[in-house]
Structures are given as structure tokens and as C-alpha cells.
Amino acid sequence: MEPDSLRPRIAVVGGGVSGLVAARELALAGADVVVIEGADRLGGRIRGAALAGVTVDIGAESFATRGGTVAALIGEIGMADQIVRPAPLGSWVIDGPRSIPLPAAGTLGIPATPLSAATVRALGLPGALRAAAEPLLPRRVGRDAESLADLVRARLGSRALHRLVRPVALGVYSADPDRLGVTTVPGLADAYARRGSLIAAARDVRDSQAAAMSDPRRA
Ligand SMILES: Cc1cc2nc3c(=O)[nH]c(=O)nc-3n(C[C@H](O)[C@H](O)[C@H](O)COP(=O)(O)OP(=O)(O)OC[C@H]3O[C@@H](n4cnc5c(N)ncnc54)[C@H](O)[C@@H]3O)c2cc1C
């Protein structure tokens, strides 16, 4: 053990999961770490709240099993026996006064089956038909997109962007898709470059995620 005077002293600003993981890594590497958190609790956007007397997650409520990183960390900190599988109830999107079930089979809200009943309910028939035409569009449509929003608007139309992709992006990345690059969703840009269709790419990413989740080595 190094004498205290030789240990680096590091302040981590922010006690959300990023700050806490960084602080842990630094402490394990031998640093003397202080976490500075402005709020009265740790956890940042990972938190619960009581709604109508029921405690629910109002931030992150699940973690990606692909890669196994989060599961490994939970194991290392001795909480593996507290992992709860989310109930398969699906997600809902609130759009002004309407709330609609999020079409189940999609990636970041990009519908994989644009003419499914759930997608038609979400987008209306004109919006769903516009999205369904996407695989027929030439590759140049959306080529100059500078953001995820530009790409989705060009390929799938404004309804798919505003009713599906924007709310999901705000929830997952805490950022408007206008501010997200097209490479934000792991694997999506590569799949899109390969397939030339955003819908086909969304299906590929969904299928690869499903394969990762059913692989017990990655659970
Ligand atoms: C509704 C919602 C649902 C989500 N669902 C999921 C999900 O299911 N799965 C998933 O993986 N991710 C999900 N996310 C994303 C995930 O919650 C975030 O990516 C993650 O929690 C961000 O952690 P962070 O530590 O980077 O930032 P934050 O959680 O934002 O933490 C930052 C911390 O820094 C503190 N801070 C900021 N500035 C200062 C300062 N100057 N001085 C001191 N303290 C400061 C803040 O008070 C806060 O505690 C969701 C996000 C939201 C909003």
C-alpha cells in the first residue's frame, strides 16, 4: 500500500452511475477519491418515485445484456441476486394528450414492421404508409443527414420521427435526435450502410440484440 502522500487525490463531479463507476475504478486503482454530488441523493437519472402510491422507476428501468458489462459489474458489487427481469408489459409513448403503446419490434423507436396494427395506431395510416415506403427509397435519400433526426425524417417521415423516435431517444439518451449522430445506436449505421434501408437495419439490430439476450454467456 502506497503512503497516503503518494496516492493521487481525485475529485469526481457527479454521483450518477457514470461518476460512481469512475470513482470505483479510480479507488480500485489506488486513488484517494471524493465524489461531489450537487443533489441530495446519489444515482442521478436512475431513481424511483411514488406515483399513485406505487413506487416506480422514473429513469432507467433496465440494462442492456449485450456484452455482459453491466451484469458483470452487478456481480462484482455483490448484487446479482437482486436483478429482477422486467415484466414484458411494453412501453408507451405520451404524445400531447394521447398515449400510445410503442410498437414492440423496433430499434430506438424505428418501426421494424411499419404496417403492423401497433405502428398504424401510433402513426396513423398516412404516417405508417410513408414509413412502409422507406425500403423503396433510393439510397441517396438521407445521405447528407447530419443527425439521427435528419436521417429518420428523410427516410421514414416526420410522424415516425416525432411520435416514435424522438420520445424514445429522449428517454434512452436524454437528448433530442437533432443532437444525436447517426452512429449513436450501436450497429445501426453499419446495418444501414449494408442494407440501404433504415427499417431493414432496425430489424437487423433488433435481431442481433435478441440473439445476444438469448446467449446465456452474455446474460
Ligand atoms: C426516463 C429515462 C429512462 C431511461 N431508461 C434507461 C434504461 O432503461 N436503461 C439504460 O441503460 N439507460 C436508461 N436511461 C439513460 C440512463 O439513465 C442514463 O444514461 C444514465 O443514468 C446517465 O448517468 P450519468 O451518471 O452519466 O448522468 P446522470 O444520471 O445525469 O448523473 C449526473 C449527476 O451529476 C450531478 N451533477 C451534475 N452537475 C453537477 C455539478 N456541477 N456538481 C455536482 N453534481 C453535479 C447530477 O445531480 C447527477 O446526480 C434512461 C434515462 C431516462 C431519463
Side-chain angles (χ1 to χ4, degrees):
M1 188 77 173
E2 282 181 277
D4 279 357
S5 58
L6 293 181
R7 293 174 70 195
R9 299 188 65 204
I10 300 176
V12 174
V13 180
V17 67
S18 306
L20 294 176
V21 169
R24 178 173 182 272
E25 295 282 322
L26 290 163
L28 287 174
D32 186 2
V33 187
V34 177
V35 175
I36 300 170
E37 170 53 55
D40 59 4
R41 51 175 286 285
L42 296 172
R45 292 174 194 276
I46 299 175
R47 62 181 303 180
L51 288 179
V54 179
T55 302
V56 296
D57 293 309
I58 59 170
E61 81 294 335
S62 59
F63 61 88
T65 53
R66 187 173 40 161
T69 308
V70 182
L73 175 65
I74 292 171
E76 281 169 32
I77 60 178
M79 297 181 72
D81 59 346
Q82 293 184 46
I83 296 176
V84 177
R85 239 187 146 72
L89 299 175
S91 305
W92 286 60
V93 177
I94 296 175
D95 174 35
R98 295 172 359 124
S99 54
I100 43 177
L102 189 67
T107 298
L108 200 73
I110 297 167
T113 49
L115 292 179
S116 69
T119 310
V120 172
R121 183 169 169 196
L123 299 183
L125 190 57
L129 288 171
R130 168 69 178 85
E134 189 269 340
L136 306 175
L137 298 178
R139 281 187 179 238
R140 66 182 149 73
V141 175
R143 185 175 287 162
D144 299 330
E146 290 182 356
S147 67
L148 187 64
D150 286 347
L151 182 63
V152 172
R153 192 184 294 108
R155 301 289 312 180
L156 297 165
S158 293
R159 281 200 183 183
L161 171 63
H162 292 299
R163 294 193 183 174
L164 297 177
V165 175
R166 171 161 284 133
V168 176
L170 284 168
V172 174
Y173 293 102
S174 307
D176 191 285
D178 278 317
R179 296 177 53 214
L180 295 175
V182 296
T183 55
T184 301
V185 185
L188 186 67
D190 287 346
Y192 174 54
R194 208 169 48 243
R195 304 282 246 123
S197 156
L198 208 46
I199 287 177
R203 276 194 209 117
D204 283 0
V205 172
R206 176 205 60 190
D207 292 347
S208 67
Q209 286 170 347
M213 286 177 79
S214 64
D215 180 346
R217 289 167 306 173
R218 291 165 181 256

